[in-house]
Amino acid sequence: MKEIMKIVGISGSPRKAGNTEFLLNEALAVAAEYGFQTERLLCSELNFDFCSDCGDCSKGKPCPNKDDMHKVLRAMQEAEGIIVASPVYFGNVTAQLKAIFDRTIPLRRQGFRLRNKIGCAIAVGGSRNGGQEKTLESIHAWMHIQGMIVVGDDAHFGGIAVRPAAEDRIGRKTVVASANKLCDLLLLKKEYDGTIKGD
């Protein structure tokens, strides 16, 4: 690859070094094996406020909140691929991850800056049918609203695991398969873009 493409991984868990972070690390390890640059953004380490829908971003202004979201927005714009992982909290994503999704509205209102980036999702719950698919659906909805291209695990909706994640052989396979699908599509997209542009 002439240019090293970047994949950013976001953990929506407020807990450090937990199941969600473990699975995100596995997905990013796949990306690193492909030769992609990777970056982790962990809700357990970030400080950010909720969106108040003040309307500044709809007028082309930057978000008035002075917090860590500028790191998140920068990383998302620099990346070609985005992997989002969340534990299941009451059948859905965490409040922290939903707050991040809401705060990305400037990227949509100011030129759909995430359009055509490739995304995949990972969810981990307390049981095999513990709300993971609903959680993936919420992550996918955010990606679709941002104009992204969404991939699954080559058979279903993405990475679905149960805790303890390190012992979930089946779930870990879906996480790895999702990361592989994202990376494969990124390489195909790069090849296609290069052909169209005459590289």
Side-chain angles (χ1 to χ4, degrees), residues 11-25 40-47 68 87 89 94 96:
S11 168
S13 176
R15 300 178 62 182
K16 293 180 68 69
N19 293 288
T20 306
E21 193 174 327
F22 173 84
L23 294 169
L24 181 64
N25 288 342
R40 296 189 320 162
L41 298 169
L42 310 178
C43 281
S44 61
E45 298 178 354
L46 296 167
N47 293 305
D68 288 339
Y89 276 21
T94 64
Q96 290 83 359

Side-chain angles (χ1 to χ4, degrees), residues 100-119:
I100 282 183
F101 288 169
D102 291 347
R103 289 286 303 280
T104 64
I105 191 67
L107 300 181
R108 186 178 193 275
R109 286 178 171 169
Q110 298 176 7
F112 275 90
R113 298 180 188 178
L114 300 186
R115 178 182 279 131
N116 292 334
K117 295 182 186 292
I118 314 299

Side-chain angles (χ1 to χ4, degrees), residues 36 47 53 85 103 122 135 153-154 183 192:
F36 294 110
N47 293 305
D53 195 24
R103 289 286 303 280
I122 299 166
T135 300
D153 63 345
D154 220 14
C183 292
Y192 175 80

Side-chain angles (χ1 to χ4, degrees), residues 77 141 195:
Q77 290 180 87
T195 301

